[in-house]
Amino acid sequence: MEDMTIHEFDFALINEFFIELERQGPGSPEETIRALSFIRNLSDKTKIADLGCGTGFQTMVLAQNTEATITALDLFAGSIDKLNAKAKILGLQNRVKGVVGSMDDLPFGDEEFDIIWSEGAIGNIGFEKGLAHWKRFLKKEGYVAVTYESWFTDERPAEIEKWWTDAVPEISTIAHNIAVMQKTGYVPVAAFTLPETCWTENYFAPQKARQEEFLKKHAGNKAAENMIAFMRREAELYEKYKRYYGYVFYIGKKVGNWGISER
């Protein structure tokens, strides 16, 4: 397990584990609402795309704190089924719709959305690639709001450097990521780090019971055992090295119509 990276685990197994959890990554309702506070001119005409939405925890927070229409997209059909069921339970089905799709092949039209939202998912296609690709689907002066793994310091211990570089090869410092946001055609509006509780209480703690349940179900399955060992190692490393890295919320505003001519 020591030499394995997150990219070597079975996608279906990962989704089976996380679909029973409220969150698929670090975050909180409070930080979603804080990011939303930097976005102007919200109304019942606002259209939001939530990319890599998972089962839609943050999607519902957005819906409950705006009057916007939200299209939530994820690659895993089971997550979208759960998101749509949750929207119906909350009476939000007229404004929230989940669709299956890939964030690097969006089934949307040019300048269709006022806001593109993505919590903990842009690293799957790359920070720069995601910002550059998604821009064409934003209206002029539309907003992008993403959380992304980032270094807090210019230097860090080799152990954690290797772990995160294996998982997210583009991982960089906050200053570098803000420069990338400018380079890809956005005016940076705000950037703030997520509190430790977003990791410890909202991400790692709920996993503990689920890990035991998952191991019982997949007893003798080496792939499942390795995946759970990897997750436990991730939590140990966070406790040891959390002063060096974390998730950062980046909010930017699209400049002009860059991107429309780039396809």
Side-chain angles (χ1 to χ4, degrees):
M1 196 283 296
E2 282 295 323
D3 295 323
M4 295 187 76
T5 72
I6 187 67
H7 307 292
E8 296 172 70
F9 296 113
D10 183 75
F11 182 65
L13 208 57
I14 294 172
N15 279 293
E16 182 190 340
F17 177 86
F18 278 106
I19 198 169
E20 298 301 328
L21 296 174
E22 277 197 334
R23 298 200 63 95
Q24 288 76 50
S28 74
E30 292 78 11
E31 301 312 311
T32 297
I33 293 169
R34 183 181 175 191
L36 199 56
S37 73
F38 292 101
I39 295 176
R40 301 291 175 257
N41 302 318
L42 291 168
S43 74
D44 60 357
K45 305 296 184 190
T46 300
K47 295 180 68 177
I48 302 174
D50 182 8
L51 306 183
C53 59
T55 58
F57 187 88
Q58 73 291 329
T59 316
M60 302 308 151
V61 175
L62 291 171
Q64 289 169 326
N65 287 276
T66 68
E67 298 176 291
T69 299
I70 302 173
T71 302
L73 177 142
D74 198 273
L75 200 56
F76 187 50
S79 295
I80 291 301
D81 289 344
K82 198 157 187 174
L83 181 148
N84 283 328
K86 195 182 301 180
K88 191 172 182 181
I89 290 169
L90 295 173
L92 297 168
Q93 69 273 21
N94 293 331
R95 292 195 293 118
V96 176
K97 180 183 179 184
V99 297
V100 177
S102 173
M103 64 176 68
D104 59 1
D105 186 22
L106 297 176
F108 306 137
D110 289 349
E111 299 188 318
E112 185 172 341
F113 294 97
D114 301 281
I115 303 168
I116 288 182
W117 204 273
S118 184
E119 294 196 24
I122 193 171
N124 292 325
I125 65 169
F127 188 71
E128 182 168 348
K129 180 182 176 182
L131 290 178
H133 177 57
W134 298 347
K135 188 176 51 190
R136 66 176 307 107
F137 302 100
L138 275 178
K139 296 176 184 175
K140 184 179 179 181
E141 300 191 342
Y143 289 85
V144 66
V146 303
T147 62
Y148 182 54
E149 303 90 340
S150 306
W151 295 126
F152 295 161
T153 58
D154 287 334
E155 296 181 355
R156 44 263 157 191
E159 184 180 32
I160 197 62
E161 175 103 28
K162 182 179 186 313
W163 173 274
W164 274 105
T165 303
D166 286 345
V168 184
E170 275 189 336
I171 186 171
S172 191
T173 61
I174 298 170
H176 175 84
N177 293 333
I178 290 173
V180 168
M181 180 168 268
Q182 285 187 292
K183 175 185 170 186
T184 49
Y186 302 87
V187 175
V189 172
F192 60 88
T193 59
L194 299 190
E196 286 180 27
T197 52
C198 288
W199 292 77
T200 56
E201 295 180 16
N202 299 346
Y203 183 55
F204 293 134
Q207 287 186 29
K208 290 181 179 177
R210 178 67 179 144
Q211 288 167 356
E212 294 301 327
E213 175 187 82
F214 201 76
L215 286 173
K216 282 182 184 175
K217 178 181 177 182
H218 293 281
N221 182 329
K222 196 66 179 172
E225 291 172 358
N226 283 337
M227 189 182 81
I228 298 302
F230 179 91
M231 291 173 174
R232 289 172 172 168
R233 179 69 174 148
E234 181 187 20
E236 291 170 4
L237 289 173
Y238 181 76
E239 190 57 35
K240 187 175 180 182
Y241 294 118
K242 57 191 174 187
R243 63 187 178 279
Y244 295 102
Y245 71 96
Y247 267 97
V248 174
F249 231 124
Y250 298 94
I251 300 106
K253 191 173 184 180
K254 178 180 173 180
V255 179
N257 286 321
W258 291 11
I260 297 300
S261 62
E262 294 175 0
R263 185 162 61 181

